[in-house]
Amino acid sequence: MNFHLSDEQAALQDAVRRFAAEQAEAGVRRRAFESEDGLDRPFWDGLVALGVGGVGIAEEFGGLGLDWIDVALVAEALGYEAAPGPFLGHVVAALAIQRFGTEPQKQAWLPRLATGEKIGTVALAEAGERWRPKEWSLGLDGHGRLSGAKANVPYAAVADVLVVGLSDGGLALVASEAGGLACEPLDVADRTRRLWNVTFRDARAERLPAGDCALLRDALCVLLAADAFGGAMRVLHMTAEYAKTREQFGQAIARFQGVKHQLANLAAEIAPCQGLYWYAAVAFEQAPDERAQAAAMAKAHLGDRFMEAGRTAVELHGGIGYTWEYDLQIWVKRAMFDFAFGGPPSLHRARAMSLTAPRAEPDRPPQDKARAEEVLA
Amino acid sequence: MNFHLSDEQAALQDAVRRFAAEQAEAGVRRRAFESEDGLDRPFWDGLVALGVGGVGIAEEFGGLGLDWIDVALVAEALGYEAAPGPFLGHVVAALAIQRFGTEPQKQAWLPRLATGEKIGTVALAEAGERWRPKEWSLGLDGHGRLSGAKANVPYAAVADVLVVGLSDGGLALVASEAGGLACEPLDVADRTRRLWNVTFRDARAERLPAGDCALLRDALCVLLAADAFGGAMRVLHMTAEYAKTREQFGQAIARFQGVKHQLANLAAEIAPCQGLYWYAAVAFEQAPDERAQAAAMAKAHLGDRFMEAGRTAVELHGGIGYTWEYDLQIWVKRAMFDFAFGGPPSLHRARAMSLTAPRAEPDRPPQDKARAEEVLA
Amino acid sequence: MDLTLGEEYDAFREEVLQFLAEAWPPRQPSGDEAADAKAFRRLATERGLLYRRFPREYGGSGQAPDPLKDRIVREEFARRGAPGELAGIGQKMLAPTLLARGEEWQKRRFIAPTLAGDLVWCQGYSEPGSGSDLASLRTRAVLDGDAWVIAGQKIWTSDARAADYMFILVRTEPDAPKHAGISYLLLDMKAPGITIRPLKQMNGEAHFNEVFFDEVRTPADWIVGKRGEGWSVARTTLSFERASVNAPEAMDDLLRRVKDQARTARRNGRPLIEDPVFRDELARVEGYAMAHRYSVLRQMSMDTVGQDPGLAGLCNKLVGTDVGLKIARLFQEAAGDAGLLMPGPGVTRDDMDAMFWIMRSMSVTIAGGTSNIQRNIIAERGLGLPRDPGS
Amino acid sequence: MDLTLGEEYDAFREEVLQFLAEAWPPRQPSGDEAADAKAFRRLATERGLLYRRFPREYGGSGQAPDPLKDRIVREEFARRGAPGELAGIGQKMLAPTLLARGEEWQKRRFIAPTLAGDLVWCQGYSEPGSGSDLASLRTRAVLDGDAWVIAGQKIWTSDARAADYMFILVRTEPDAPKHAGISYLLLDMKAPGITIRPLKQMNGEAHFNEVFFDEVRTPADWIVGKRGEGWSVARTTLSFERASVNAPEAMDDLLRRVKDQARTARRNGRPLIEDPVFRDELARVEGYAMAHRYSVLRQMSMDTVGQDPGLAGLCNKLVGTDVGLKIARLFQEAAGDAGLLMPGPGVTRDDMDAMFWIMRSMSVTIAGGTSNIQRNIIAERGLGLPRDPGS
């Protein structure tokens, strides 16, 4: 496989990172973190102007027409900057409509999602750690109405359209202006990515033909992994920079070999992980057989790495790293989000193993192995 | 609980350690390691002269009449010195005969085990990682004869009496001079504690009335944990001393904070573990309800700690630590023994958890908890 | 070695039980719980059960130090819900320091009301520029007639708003070498010129504060030890702090909570506590926690007969924080979707939920000296490795 | 970015397959396998497929460097069992060093036979007193007429007994500063005065040796670079070694072996591979191994277009050894009772069993620079932290 970014890919990621960094410098991250709903409209509009609203939406509908790897590259950039807003739910909702929607559904939503006129989100989990479709209870009744509750829905209160996971593994579309839903805000740790619980009461819903929850879950896992990689790299950089300036015993703590080696170990945990989410993002479209496993491994591994990076970073910062005022806490809480949202790493490890090491059967038949190596090559 | 050694306890442990250190200095450890059968008679006789052969054997049978904690203290001392020989199997066999034997059986064996005239051992495991009584197949036939095989029997070829675990959870006594057994030596890693596979063919055996395999397993676990603690402490001391003398870049490597912190972390992993095996050893006799769980936790935790200490020590030593000529490798292999013999740490963790956290029931009823705290107090 | 404590202690436990049967709950409750608790504490001290190490003239009970007897009192009092020793920074750090290093009038004036809970203290050690490197502190005090005049800033001051007094390290001898220029002063927190600014923490608590000193005056004789001896006085106190953080009881309590949580949390439709992967991880952590618990008990036994616990004692702090982090990982596994939320409203240190501890565990690697400082102490004092140059 | 390599590489793979169809196995086998392999290697080099970075005049195939093409050749050759590039220390380290720093006559004389396998080399770097601190070496060489005379001792010399020649670092300028006093010599291992003593290792192998030099002579012009330039010449070589250790293919192979073992090993009466705790641990290790694998592939892609892999590239060695240790722990879990035994008789690096790797993994934290040296490199070059004083 060719692990090489095209100039366009690099340029998009760069533009997003530069814009997000500039805006964070101007206070948007902290402002959104402390705000009521975690949405900074001008910032979101600015991202949308760069094409972020429709990275994966086809050009005919006004998007950039790029691949999931490109969406993931944006997610990494946003993770590096801990950028606030509805990106995660929005792009996954757009993916669902583009992949599974009828022509009229696409026409109705994609152009307005691409321009940022409308915000989309996904309502998958149900209360009580139920992240897997087979654990869900929500279904459409005979009249295309939806009743029941979804938990942990990103930016539900500001979303115009919700893609809702159904108990049969399918998906439905709910326009919030049609009414029938109530959103209850949650007191989330990661205040750059807010969540609501949503209760549907006879809400009008349209089924997305051939909608596939599992695919959305994999798409989500890839973006969480990308965000975690970006966030972990930032935590590494912040901590290394802090160590260079913080003085103790008459010298920068970066001169203490103990600190140097802790930072080197942290680097060795994180720096090699970029390819893990890249591979999962590319496999998402190009290798359907490996899609679920690669996404699960990336989400599990990077969810752990980011969280542990946060722990190490707080230790190396000392007291300041534990305060509300210093921004490290914002990344620590993003790490908590990437860890828990979509289910904890252990859940995804178990899934990944059951996808690769079926009970008592050889890993893969030899011919498959050869093929897998070809794909990897 | 009162974690205090009596003067007698300290004196016995000290005497054993001093003798073993002296003899190791004189080459006995290395000689036994390189020898055919891993038994150095004069050294074993010397240990026996200190009372090691009969620490736990009642005074009326010529032993010291001490408790299992005292046997474990000796095990720690022998572990610290990586002392070669049949101690492990010998003392557990003596325990079995003392606890479960008839008066004639005790008369026949205990005095001669205490004086070292005879060597005892235990044959518990069967081939294929079968360390738990319920996995065993060996039983006595109607004529008191034993046929079948036991695996990993310490010093089987030099033992005069074998305590054999039976499939019904009981124990039998086999005198090797009666014939009917064949010993096949194993190419073991830890050449200070040799193992044989033993095949019984109509071997004459006597049942130990009320013999209880589970108790022997717990006794073994305590001694393995004690040995592991002693060995791990030695590995820590060796490595700290090496770091003080080994120079790199013009100074002792102990001056590098990276090395200092690795050694400090190693110390923090090991130094607090002494009480873990002490508690298990005392509970072995004084708190039957906690016996199995405490022994399993001690074996699992210390088996892991010793093995990891060996890995860290080799890394800190550099190339020399990986050679056959430098003695560190002897402790690394003792760590492998303490890890694998009796089953790996994971097995004992699973056992310990099933003993404390039964499925879907509260940990312990409140009144038990209070009692447990009283016992701990 | 014995699973019981032996006859002397069994008899002592009897004595404690008898006292409790007489005195708690009070025969005639006054209706004022705080007053009842205070009266009971006074009575228990008179009977030789609380504040054993403090002489009677300073409000203690003047008994020979015996950590096992302390433990029995704590256990039996806790079992009956009777009020035990107060364990604030005043009782744990200031009072023992005064006892060891204070003037007679200081002991008489400050210790007894501190032990009784009438005086609340806070600690003025850390400064923004001096974390682990405490001796580099810059807050200064100048003797002006009958008073020290203090100017500078402290940080990470716990409970500064509730405290009556502060014990503070200040630089009084600017020309002396780093460690020799420091003095240990006492200070009324209501003195003019003090500004307190709460520091909000990651988990929403505002337990710590910044304290600013703008020419704050405290009497000239409110100094503990001589001028320039502050560093050595502080070390007396620090050793008490080191012993008090992360006691194994707290770890055991956390483990119980995490197990409770794992009984209600579900994984694959079954209680998490039944999940083999979680159980294995739990058992690993229990291994560490048990080792720590018995190691501390062993040290207490040694302490009782005057033996030095050596290397194992030096490891307590690092081991305690490490076990705390391991438990935090279990909590995070057990939290499930609650892992996305802030700690519940009103959650405090005494009543912690999973999220509270997941976050708070990150601060324990810092509190009471960072883990890297602990590693140096273990390596240098415990293993005899050479000291860091310049530390 | 693409799961395929793109058209250019697909075409190249076709070319490779076509060549193999023609040339391997040989149409007319000679009966001498080694000779057939050698002839095939020569042919493949002529066709531009092997030793791409070496010019044709020195026995290479003179192609533009392209790690992806190298990879395709390795894969397709391996699949057909065709002999690929030799990967001894001569091909991997000496030949590239000579190419970069050697005299013209040295290149002509030594490189081609080395690539062909006619010359086997060993490396004389480490000494008993100089491990990570290579530059402190003390083996000296003095110019005596037309020859260098070497005296001293080397250690950890792989395959010293099988080697024809050694490349060796010696101190030729005793008065120069540490690094500036070293020269890089070549040496015939059959020269009088050389004594080789095998060093038996923990796992029973005797792969390494001590080599003693008692006034050993080598021609004056068998020096690479100038007098005193040996340190910089050696660094050229060391960078090749760093890139070659712990390739992810080796890790993947180990993971396959450990999974095979877990399919036959039993736990609680079922295959270990079905045990949830083992599976979770396996998945954790696979996460690290996959990250490492894709990171190295990414670096290859960057290398192909001349980009610097930066921090991730500096982490390869440390990550590789760490994954190796993690796999060793899985092996130890899967080994069961075999964990009590020595590696099976005749087990070698190419055919390793669990015990072999459990032990050998301990040596990989040392080989090619200890892990602490790697940590310094990552911290200093990768994160821009200050250099250690005195290193």
Side-chain angles (χ1 to χ4, degrees), chain B:
Chain B
M1 116 170 233
N2 193 340
F3 265 107
H4 191 250
L5 291 190
S6 69
D7 291 347
E8 294 76 19
Q9 289 177 314
L12 173 64
Q13 194 183 33
D14 239 49
V16 171
R17 185 174 297 182
R18 259 207 319 277
F19 175 71
E22 218 175 83
Q23 293 294 303
E25 195 71 29
V28 72
R29 174 169 56 230
R30 178 56 69 166
R31 219 159 49 233
F33 192 86
E34 303 284 4
S35 76
E36 196 61 37
D37 64 2
L39 178 65
D40 186 292
R41 275 283 174 184
F43 176 65
W44 177 242
D45 290 345
L47 285 176
V48 167
L50 293 171
V52 166
V55 187
I57 295 177
E59 285 171 288
E60 56 175 307
F61 299 116
L64 300 183
L66 298 176
D67 294 327
W68 204 244
I69 176 65
D70 302 285
V71 181
L73 289 168
V74 170
E76 182 199 322
L78 296 175
Y80 190 84
E81 292 297 339
F87 170 77
L88 186 66
H90 184 84
V91 292
V92 177
L95 172 80
I97 297 170
Q98 170 140 320
R99 282 268 184 134
F100 305 123
T102 60
E103 200 54 30
Q105 286 169 334
K106 292 186 198 177
Q107 293 287 0
W109 291 108
L110 293 179
R112 294 189 294 166
L113 291 172
T115 60
E117 187 190 330
K118 299 289 181 187
I119 291 177
T121 193
V122 285
L124 299 175
E126 298 186 6
E129 285 77 68
R130 284 179 294 177
W131 291 96
R132 294 176 305 174
K134 66 177 179 184
E135 298 168 318
W136 298 342
S137 63
L138 224 71
L140 280 178
D141 71 11
H143 311 90
R145 300 277 176 165
L146 209 56
S147 291
K150 286 284 182 184
N152 301 312
V153 182
Y155 289 86
V158 298
D160 303 289
V161 58
L162 293 84
V163 173
V164 182
L166 304 176
S167 59
D168 60 9
L171 296 167
L173 219 53
V174 175
S176 56
E177 63 178 8
L181 59 155
C183 301
E184 175 214 351
L186 295 171
D187 182 17
V188 292
D190 176 9
R191 298 173 60 82
T192 60
R193 288 178 293 182
R194 302 298 173 89
L195 301 171
W196 280 257
N197 285 340
V198 179
T199 309
F200 300 92
R201 207 178 303 265
D202 285 328
R204 274 233 304 274
E206 299 171 29
R207 187 177 273 280
L208 286 173
D212 175 5
C213 285
L215 184 124
L216 288 209
R217 179 205 54 209
D218 296 339
L220 249 174
C221 283
V222 169
L223 298 190
L224 291 165
D227 181 85
F229 176 75
M233 283 303 287
R234 177 58 170 272
V235 158
L236 172 65
H237 290 156
M238 280 176 84
T239 310
E241 290 314 308
Y242 181 78
K244 289 178 202 172
T245 53
R246 169 75 172 169
E247 295 204 353
Q248 294 277 275
F249 304 104
Q251 55 183 320
I253 62 171
R255 289 203 172 273
F256 290 106
Q257 206 185 44
V259 171
K260 282 172 75 168
H261 287 190
Q262 280 168 307
L263 280 165
N265 289 339
L266 185 57
E269 290 279 304
I270 299 166
C273 295
Q274 193 171 41
L276 196 57
Y277 95 74
W278 283 18
Y279 184 80
V282 175
F284 181 78
E285 273 151 337
Q286 299 183 25
D289 289 0
E290 304 191 41
R291 190 193 77 203
Q293 199 247 350
M297 287 300 288
K299 149 81 175 155
H301 189 74
L302 274 157
D304 273 336
R305 297 289 76 68
F306 189 15
M307 193 62 227
E308 291 304 318
R311 291 199 163 97
T312 304
V314 174
E315 175 177 343
L316 285 171
H317 272 79
I320 186 78
Y322 190 63
T323 59
W324 190 274
E325 285 177 46
Y326 190 77
D327 280 353
L328 177 57
Q329 65 117 348
I330 297 182
W331 275 274
V332 170
K333 288 168 179 173
R334 277 182 87 100
M336 290 175 180
F337 184 100
D338 292 341
F339 184 99
F341 195 80
S346 57
L347 185 85
H348 293 281
R349 278 194 297 272
R351 284 183 49 235
M353 290 314 287
S354 68
L355 293 165
T356 50
R359 327 204 125 212
E361 276 169 32
D363 204 350
R364 297 169 189 215
Q367 62 274 34
D368 269 357
K369 225 179 219 162
R371 206 193 51 77
E373 274 168 24
E374 249 166 323
V375 171
L376 278 179

Side-chain angles (χ1 to χ4, degrees), chain C residues 140-151:
Chain C
R140 63 173 167 74
V142 178
L143 200 55
D144 174 28
D146 60 350
W148 293 100
V149 182
I150 304 169

